[in-house]
Amino acid sequence: SSCLQGVYRSEDGGKLWVEIGAGGGDFFDPFDNSVQCQGSYDLAFAVDPANPNRIFVGGITLWTWTDGDGWLQVDNTFDSPQNNKYVHADKHDIVFHPTDPNQMYIVCDGGIFWSGNANAKFPNFKPLNKNLRITQFYGIAGSLHGAILGGTQDNGTQYINFFNNSKFDADEL
């Protein structure tokens, strides 16, 4: 069903597993967008390299878990230059810098987001998408006159009219 069934933790190399996050809850549900579950599309897990008792789970939203705090949502999807908690929806990977565990990278449908304070209870994030164009098309059509129209994942409908756009610029409709 692509819905979260549960998150489990082992402290003995996998002999015993304990549920730390039940699926289908009203509070903790990183894969549910209120219409459908997306766990088969956006699913990312990572263990904090500086703290093995802290994990991150990304789906539509990004969550962290520690033994003391339980589950906390650490991002939101409100895109604003003043919002240092914004990470685009649909997380696909979480990667830590190999020599600095305070640096974390989130790979998502909106590109790459970075945190320089991943050890904070609520890290800050910043997009690293300068001149990186991220668009996933679900459908595309072209006319005999060179116009192109495409519907994208989370990035609107793009239109290139052939006459006024460069080959890399489209008008969002």
Side-chain angles (χ1 to χ4, degrees):
S1 70
S2 297
C3 295
L4 179 68
Q5 300 300 307
V7 179
Y8 298 83
R9 176 183 184 210
S10 176
E11 294 181 3
D12 61 5
K15 293 178 185 160
L16 175 67
W17 291 89
V18 176
E19 184 177 69
I20 60 171
D26 291 334
F27 172 68
F28 172 64
D29 203 351
F31 308 136
D32 186 11
N33 68 4
S34 76
V35 176
Q36 64 182 1
C37 295
Q38 297 184 190
S40 61
Y41 175 70
D42 42 38
L43 171 60
F45 280 88
V47 176
D48 184 336
N51 180 0
N53 292 310
R54 184 179 191 199
I55 65 169
F56 289 87
V57 175
I60 297 167
T61 51
L62 182 66
W63 294 74
T64 186
W65 178 90
T66 61
D67 208 11
D69 293 323
W71 289 103
L72 300 171
Q73 185 175 343
V74 294
D75 78 334
N76 63 54
T77 56
F78 176 68
D79 186 5
S80 164
Q82 294 79 31
N83 181 6
N84 62 10
K85 304 301 179 200
Y86 168 68
V87 179
H88 194 282
D90 302 337
K91 285 68 171 172
H92 300 288
D93 204 358
I94 302 167
V95 179
F96 286 88
H97 190 280
T99 61
D100 183 356
N102 288 328
Q103 294 190 52
M104 178 173 61
Y105 301 86
I106 309 296
V107 181
C108 61
D109 282 9
I112 302 169
F113 286 73
W114 170 81
S115 174
N117 68 336
N119 62 331
K121 190 172 189 174
F122 293 97
N124 295 328
F125 298 97
K126 175 176 140 179
L128 297 181
N129 297 326
K130 185 176 182 181
N131 297 323
L132 175 64
R133 298 170 188 267
I134 301 295
T135 304
Q136 177 181 343
F137 284 90
Y138 281 119
I140 193 164
S143 76
L144 294 174
H145 304 289
I148 299 172
L149 181 69
T152 68
Q153 167 71 27
D154 292 339
N155 292 302
T157 301
Q158 304 295 315
Y159 174 69
I160 298 174
N161 66 14
F162 183 71
F163 297 106
N164 297 327
N165 301 105
S166 78
K167 66 180 183 177
F168 297 112
D169 291 329
D171 295 322
E172 188 169 340
L173 300 179

